[in-house]
């Protein structure tokens, strides 16, 4: 017979995670702790129920305990890691504030001309697409002139097109 599951001290945290889970992985984490304690399932049965291997289920339970004790940081989403970032978000914002000072006053910004300045501040070469993504990340967007005035009269414009003199 297998030994009884431990971790009774983490039941409250697991139930809270179960209620507030937004992803399937968070739900599995809570279930890996609660199923053996509440329903008396073995580790093999718990692994089958949550769709993971026995080793992975054991690792999930251990990691949950370490996070609950404060020994480990909770897992982050892959998109939140920014593994290949050239600078953190605060540094990017400060670089853009320095480089785009004219644009905040209403000046025209030409990104390919700003690319060398941004590369100099970051200290590494960057692709132009990276510069555009950095700008988008911090709320800058490409503005192009409209083809017509927003307060213009569409009917008068069509009448003018029909009746304008041909060259």
């Amino acid at each position: 017979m297998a030994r009884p599951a431990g971790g009774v001290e983490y039941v409250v945290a697991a139930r809270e995670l179960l209620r507030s889970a937004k992803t399937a992985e968070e739900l599995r984490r809570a279930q890996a702790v609660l199923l053996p304690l509440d329903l008396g399932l073995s580790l093999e049965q718990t692994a089958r129920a949550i769709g993971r291997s026995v080793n992975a289920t054991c690792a999930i339970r251990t990691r949950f305990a370490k996070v609950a004790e404060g020994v480990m940081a909770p897992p982050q989403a892959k998109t939140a890691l920014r593994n290949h970032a050239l600078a953190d978000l605060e540094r990017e914002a400060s670089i853009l504030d320095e480089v785009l000072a004219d644009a905040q006053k209403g000046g025209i910004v030409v990104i390919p001309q700003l690319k060398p300045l941004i590369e100099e501040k970051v200290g590494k070469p960057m692709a132009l697409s990276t510069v555009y993504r950095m700008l988008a990340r911090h709320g800058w967007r490409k503005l192009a002139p409209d083809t017509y005035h927003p307060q213009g009269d569409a009917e008068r414009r069509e009448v003018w097109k029909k009746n304008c003199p041909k060259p």
Side-chain angles (χ1 to χ4, degrees):
M1 171 143 172
R3 67 185 173 119
V8 177
E9 60 271 17
Y10 310 120
V11 170
V12 175
R15 282 204 176 103
E16 179 57 36
L17 180 61
L18 189 64
R19 271 193 291 282
S20 65
K22 289 185 173 56
T23 64
E25 199 54 43
E26 289 176 345
L27 186 64
R28 281 189 194 100
R29 239 181 286 140
Q31 288 174 337
V33 174
L34 289 175
L35 291 176
L37 297 173
D38 286 350
L39 302 177
L41 298 180
S42 69
L43 197 57
E44 292 82 12
Q45 292 168 331
T46 304
R48 196 173 312 120
I50 67 171
R52 294 288 182 254
S53 69
V54 174
N55 289 341
T57 304
C58 185
I60 289 170
R61 288 177 52 84
T62 305
R63 200 174 313 117
F64 186 89
K66 288 181 179 178
V67 169
E69 290 172 358
V71 176
M72 263 180 78
Q76 292 181 320
K78 186 78 170 160
T79 56
L81 295 177
R82 293 180 43 90
N83 289 335
H84 300 287
L86 296 174
D88 61 351
L89 292 174
E90 293 81 22
R91 176 80 178 119
E92 280 184 359
S94 67
I95 289 171
L96 291 178
D97 285 343
E98 293 172 20
V99 173
L100 299 172
D102 299 344
Q104 291 176 347
K105 298 174 190 165
I108 295 176
V109 177
V110 181
I111 303 305
Q113 293 173 359
L114 292 178
K115 183 179 171 270
L117 297 172
I118 294 173
E119 286 177 342
E120 180 184 321
K121 302 266 186 207
V122 172
K124 295 181 181 178
M126 303 170 74
L128 191 59
S129 62
T130 306
V131 176
Y132 279 110
R133 280 185 291 142
M134 181 191 301
L135 289 165
R137 215 176 4 255
H138 293 280
W140 288 87
R141 58 194 178 100
K142 182 179 178 180
L143 294 177
D146 287 337
T147 55
Y148 59 90
H149 195 279
Q151 296 173 345
D153 186 3
E155 285 182 29
R156 288 182 59 192
R157 195 177 310 115
E158 291 302 319
V159 169
W160 186 84
K161 283 182 188 177
K162 290 178 186 175
N163 298 330
C164 72
K166 307 275 189 250

